[in-house]
Each structure stands twice: as structure tokens, then as C-alpha cells.
DNA sequence: AAACGTTTGTGCACGTTTTCACAAAGCCAG
DNA sequence: CTGGCTTTGTGAAAACGTGCACAAACGTTT
């Protein structure tokens, strides 16, 4: 009776890398690669080979020593572990520029996340069709979510409305939220939240740019004081 | 002569949170809040107060014990540390759906990252104007970058063209890249790369959804075997 | 000017993630 | 079926990130 079922807990850092491996493996499979070593996969994913092996080891012992991993089988196992064996329809809240772009973007549904519904609070948006889906009113979100058994919601409203949107999603029964607004949202315990913030990414890059600029200036100063070894010019390792 | 200049190295995890604090502090300043405690800021940012204090301590000792932090001063210090005291124009490669959406999005320039240029390889796109900027041909990227002294590039091409786009950007003199395609790009040492991948975020959420589903099923099984304490129903802590 | 309540700044312990390094396991050639 | 080559899977160490807990510092009140 011992349920030998998965129930391994996979480290969050690994979960974030599995989708990257998955995509690469899918591409390799497409071009006829049947087998791949941790070294090759690591190269393609831009990470350390030992890390790849440890990551994959959380799925089970699916490699063959001296040979590598069967690409097709590995794709199946990762998909299984990530819960990608079936589609996860999503509901988008906010049918503005971003909401419409997302709804119209196929790379969304192609990856198993079809747009199951779009809602907006603005009556002038309600009724229009974007990406083949008719925009419904925010008030109907519960019907939309329950009709297609949706558990993932995407927030694409202005930042000021993000908390409202999150509350509506949770009330409608959604248990995972991807937030595209810059606003931090509060959700009840047990709800997962992912965040995509353009400005944050750019600001991180700006920080590294500035460091480089400062370091370069520092180097010049050192150079002037005769301390910089030629050929060893400083460049922040940040890639 | 000892250059007492910054040159503190700030942990990457902290760098990723500073933009969040910055936005919140800006909002608080707007609504007239002059002073804030680490506790309050932590609450608004959804993190631990000790973490906030440690993060801010990397900037220097700018708080006042028993009082808190001066909001305006802190905004200034974070902006300074992140290198946001001046604008960082960006060049967008790829004027398709995403490229046009980004170019037309004001929250971009508003945060100090104006679109300094857009290039595309498709002649039918060249010459059109999006977001007030005229699309130039990829071949002219070097002129575009150098004319405005751009150091940040954004890749919004199809995934298959991402490496090409990265190579072009690096050749043109860009030293930081934000990659919106799902493709992993290789860049020379010393170039910073940020990545925004929608599918990865959704797949991470799917994983948590699936775990919840499995755990719930597990609970039912436990319940059936009399092991589930009522009121203690399992819900994965993932928020 | 002392006593008090508040909040910072940070040492320390703990948890997580990365990396190293190597035995175990497989394939293949002879 | 043995020996040599390759590559996995994983302990153990190192590096990194988080959160607790508390002394030090500050403003206020008496
Ligand atoms: N446009 C971009 O390229 C881009 C890029 C990155 C991030 N973002 C972020 O995405 C969000 C949306 O941007 P946008 O350009 O699409 O804005 P937008 O103004 O075009 O669209 C917002 C939509 O949300 C609707 N809305 C407002 N309150 C609502 C509510 N409570 N419930 C449901 N719908 C509501 C509005 O009616 C509108 O249709 C913003 O937070 C923005 O910062 C946009
Ligand atoms: N549209 C979305 O909502 C969305 C969301 C997330 C991610 N993405 C990703 O963003 C990328 C772009 O998506 P899109 O919908 O804008 O695609 P798109 O096809 O509309 O636009 C791509 C543009 O890039 C140009 N291009 C192609 N090769 C080029 C090259 N070598 N140099 C310069 N330009 C080149 C094309 O001419 C085209 O104009 C894709 O990788 C996609 O996966 C898109």
C-alpha cells in the first residue's frame, strides 16, 4: 500500500530551470537529437553541468551512465513533473494594450496555456473579441473561471487596480496569479503569485551598467596611479 | 587621496529588491509620507522587515533609530545606487507585436528608459513610426546606438533570431541586454543579460498548481485512512 | 538629565543553492 | 569477459541568502 508516488519536493531554483531545459530538449528533439549529455544540455542552457545533473536527479534516475539522457523520455518526465501533461487555461484581467497583446499571442496557447477568458471593467471593452476570445465584464469572472475550471489568472490592469483584480481572481476561485503590474499584491495563504516587472529588469541592468562605468573610471584612476596591470582591464563579470 | 567612493558590492538578491522599494517609496512620497519604518516598508513590499533593513544597510547608514527612514532621502540614495540619476535610452530589436507594444508603452520612458531607437530586419517595417520613434533597418543599429550613446538593448525578435540580434547589439556596442524571447543567448564576458520569459513563469505556476492538486488528493487519501486532522486541510504554502 | 519606548544596524545561526570531486555504472573493443 | 573510456548520480564543502534577536542610538516625556 505504500504510495511510492512522487512527493519529492523539488527546490524552487530547480523548478525555475526545468522549463528552460524543457524548451531546449524540445528543440533538440525536433532536429533529430535522440540523446544528450548533461554537458551538452548545460552548454545550451548556459549553466553548469553538475547543476543540470542535480536538477534532473530530482525527477528520478533517468540517465544512462556513459551515454547521457534520452531526449524524448526526458521531455516527457519534465512535462510530467511540471504538470504540463494537460492544458492550463488562463483568465486575463484587463483587456488593454498588454492584455490584448497577450491574448493575441500564440506562443501562449502553444505552450499549453490557452486563453480561457478575458475580463475588463470598462464597458466599452466588453463584447469586443481579442485573440478569438470575447471580452466579458469583470462581474462575470466567476462564471468564466468556473465554466472552464480555470486555476491561473493573469493581471494586466493598471497598477492601481492590481489588488482589486487579485481579489476578484481569488474570489472567483483562481489559485495562481501572474502579475504584470508593478504593484505588489497581497493574497491569502496558499495562493501562488508570479511577477513580471519590466522596470525592475531594466533597473537591474542599469545597476550593472553603472558599476561597469564606475569600475572603468576606477581603473583609469588606478591606471593613472600606475596600479593597473596592462591587459587586465577590469570588466564586471555579470553575464 | 584614498577614494572612499562606494565600491561596496551589493548582493544580487538585494539589487533585485531595491527597485521594488524604490517604487513604493516614490508612491509614499507622492501621498505625503515623509518618513517610513522598515516595518512599514516591509509590509508594503511583502517582505521581512529585517531583510529590508539589511538591504538598505548596503546603501549606507541612512536611517534614524527610533524614527525610521526619510522617504525622500532614501529615494535619492536608491536611485543613486541603481544608477538612475540619469536616463538610460534603450534600443529595441524587432518591431513586431511585442516591440511595438513596448515602444508605445509609456511606463518605459517614465521610469528613465526612453526608447532611443527601434530596428527591424524587415523592410516593410522600416520607416514606420511606433511610439514616436521611426523604425530603422538592422544594418543601421550601430549608428542608432552610437548617436544616442545607448548601452541597453531589448530583444523582441522571434526566438530563432535572438542570437543574431544579440550579436548585432554587442557589435554595435551595447553592454546590457534584456531578452524577451524564450531562446537562451550567448554573449561575451562582461555583457549583462536579463531575461523575461512568460512561458517559464506560467510553467512554474503550473508546477505549484499540480503540487496542490496532488497534495489535495494525498489529503483525501489520508482522510480516507483516518489520518487527516479536520481543519488542517493541506494547502501548499507558496505565496 | 534620567528613564522610557521605538527602531535601526548587524552578529549569528540556519536554510538553500551551487560547485567540486569521485565512485558506480554503463558501453564498446578486442 | 576484461579493460578502458565515458558519463551519471550524489555526498560533502563552499557560497549565498534569510530571519532572529539584541545592543546601540535616537526622540520624547517627566
Ligand atoms: N503595455 C505594455 O507594453 C506593458 C509592458 C509591461 C507592463 N505593463 C503593465 O501592464 C499593465 C497594463 O498595461 P496596459 O498598457 O495594457 O494598460 P491599459 O490602460 O491599456 O489597459 C488596462 C486595462 O485594464 C482595465 N481595467 C482597469 N481596472 C480594472 C479592474 N479593476 N478590473 C479589470 N480590468 C480593469 C482597463 O479598462 C483597461 O482596459 C500596467 O500595469 C502596465 O504597467 C504594460
Ligand atoms: N507578443 C507577445 O505578447 C509576446 C509575449 C511574450 C513574449 N513574446 C516573445 O517576443 C518575441 C517577439 O514576439 P512578437 O509577437 O513581437 O513577434 P513578431 O513576429 O510580431 O515580431 C518579430 C519582429 O522581429 C523582426 N525580426 C526578425 N528577425 C530579426 C532580426 N534578425 N533582427 C531584427 N529584427 C528581426 C521581424 O521582422 C518582426 O517584425 C518572440 O520571441 C515571442 O516569443 C511575445
Amino acid at each position: 500500500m505504500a504510495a511510492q508516488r512522487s512527493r519529492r519536493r523539488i527546490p524552487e531554483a530547480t523548478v525555475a530551470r526545468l522549463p528552460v531545459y524543457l524548451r531546449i530538449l524540445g528543440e533538440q528533439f525536433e532536429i533529430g537529437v535522440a540523446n544528450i549529455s548533461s554537458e551538452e544540455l548545460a552548454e545550451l542552457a548556459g549553466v553548469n553541468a553538475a547543476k543540470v545533473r542535480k536538477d534532473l536527479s530530482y525527477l528520478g534516475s533517468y540517465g544512462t551512465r556513459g551515454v547521457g539522457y534520452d531526449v524524448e523520455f526526458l521531455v516527457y518526465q519534465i512535462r510530467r513533473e511540471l504538470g504540463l501533461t494537460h492544458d492550463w487555461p488562463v483568465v486575463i484581467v484587463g483587456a488593454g494594450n498588454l492584455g490584448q497583446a497577450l491574448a493575441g499571442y500564440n506562443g501562449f496557447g502553444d505552450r499549453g496555456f490557452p486563453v480561457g477568458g478575458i475580463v475588463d471593467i470598462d464597458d466599452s471593452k466588453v463584447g469586443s473579441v481579442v485573440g478569438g476570445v470575447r471580452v466579458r465584464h469583470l462581474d462575470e469572472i466567476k462564471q468564466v473561471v468556473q465554466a472552464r475550471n480555470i486555476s491561473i489568472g493573469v493581471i494586466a490592469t493598471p497598477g492601481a487596480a492590481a489588488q482589486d483584480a487579485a481579489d476578484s481572481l481569488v474570489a472567483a476561485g483562481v489559485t495562481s496569479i501572474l502579475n504584470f503590474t508593478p504593484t505588489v499584491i497581497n493574497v491569502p495563504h496558499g495562493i501562488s503569485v508570479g511577477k513580471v516587472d519590466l522596470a525592475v529588469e531594466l533597473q537591474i541592468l542599469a545597476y550593472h551598467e553603472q558599476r561597469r562605468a564606475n569600475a572603468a573610471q576606477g581603473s583609469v584612476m588606478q591606471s593613472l596611479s600606475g596600479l593597473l596591470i596592462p591587459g587586465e582591464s577590469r570588466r564586471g563579470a555579470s553575464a
Side-chain angles (χ1 to χ4, degrees), chain A:
Chain A
M1 286 286 122
Q4 179 57 6
R5 296 283 184 75
S6 43
R7 229 65 2 117
R8 283 167 290 260
R9 217 190 132 271
I10 298 185
E12 205 55 38
T14 295
V15 172
R17 280 187 298 267
L18 288 176
V20 177
Y21 302 153
L22 179 58
R23 180 177 292 262
I24 291 170
L25 290 167
E27 285 167 5
Q28 293 297 304
F29 182 72
E30 287 299 317
I31 61 174
V33 176
N35 196 85
I36 196 167
S37 71
S38 60
E39 198 76 48
E40 295 168 308
L41 181 50
E43 167 70 23
L44 292 170
V47 302
N48 182 297
K51 199 186 286 186
V52 168
R53 289 200 295 277
K54 185 143 285 186
D55 285 342
L56 295 181
S57 78
Y58 292 113
L59 310 182
S61 226
Y62 297 137
T64 308
R65 292 166 189 228
V67 177
Y69 301 86
D70 183 277
V71 174
E72 191 174 9
F73 187 64
L74 204 49
V75 164
Y76 170 73
Q77 288 299 336
I78 296 179
R79 288 176 59 85
R80 203 179 84 93
E81 193 66 43
L82 289 179
L84 303 178
T85 49
H86 63 83
D87 277 3
W88 292 96
V90 303
V91 57
I92 298 175
V93 182
N97 289 322
L98 183 63
Q100 289 180 32
L102 292 175
Y105 176 52
N106 284 331
F108 220 137
D110 290 352
R111 296 266 146 198
F113 299 92
V115 176
I118 316 178
V119 299
D120 201 295
I121 206 171
D122 181 354
D123 285 325
S124 73
K125 295 264 168 65
V126 175
S128 61
V129 176
V130 291
V133 182
R134 193 169 59 85
V135 179
R136 310 267 300 266
H137 193 275
L138 177 64
D139 293 344
E140 301 180 273
I141 189 170
K142 195 158 196 164
Q143 288 93 300
V144 171
V145 166
Q146 294 181 348
R148 300 205 48 181
N149 199 20
I150 295 175
S151 45
I152 301 179
V154 172
I155 301 180
T157 64
Q163 186 61 55
D164 263 8
D167 294 344
S168 302
L169 284 168
V170 171
V174 159
T175 44
S176 288
I177 296 176
L178 185 53
N179 179 16
F180 278 94
T181 77
T183 304
V184 177
I185 57 174
N186 286 314
V187 296
H189 189 253
I191 306 289
S192 305
V193 177
K195 191 165 170 10
V196 174
D197 190 336
L198 197 44
V200 169
E201 299 300 325
L202 287 172
Q203 287 172 8
I204 292 172
L205 291 178
Y207 169 75
H208 290 300
E209 277 301 322
Q210 197 217 20
R211 287 212 100 233
R212 253 193 291 274
N214 283 349
Q217 192 185 332
S219 291
V220 170
M221 288 166 66
Q222 288 186 322
S223 180
L224 287 176
S225 54
L227 290 174
L228 182 66
I229 297 149
E232 220 211 324
S233 65
R234 279 259 145 261
R235 282 231 129 178
S238 29

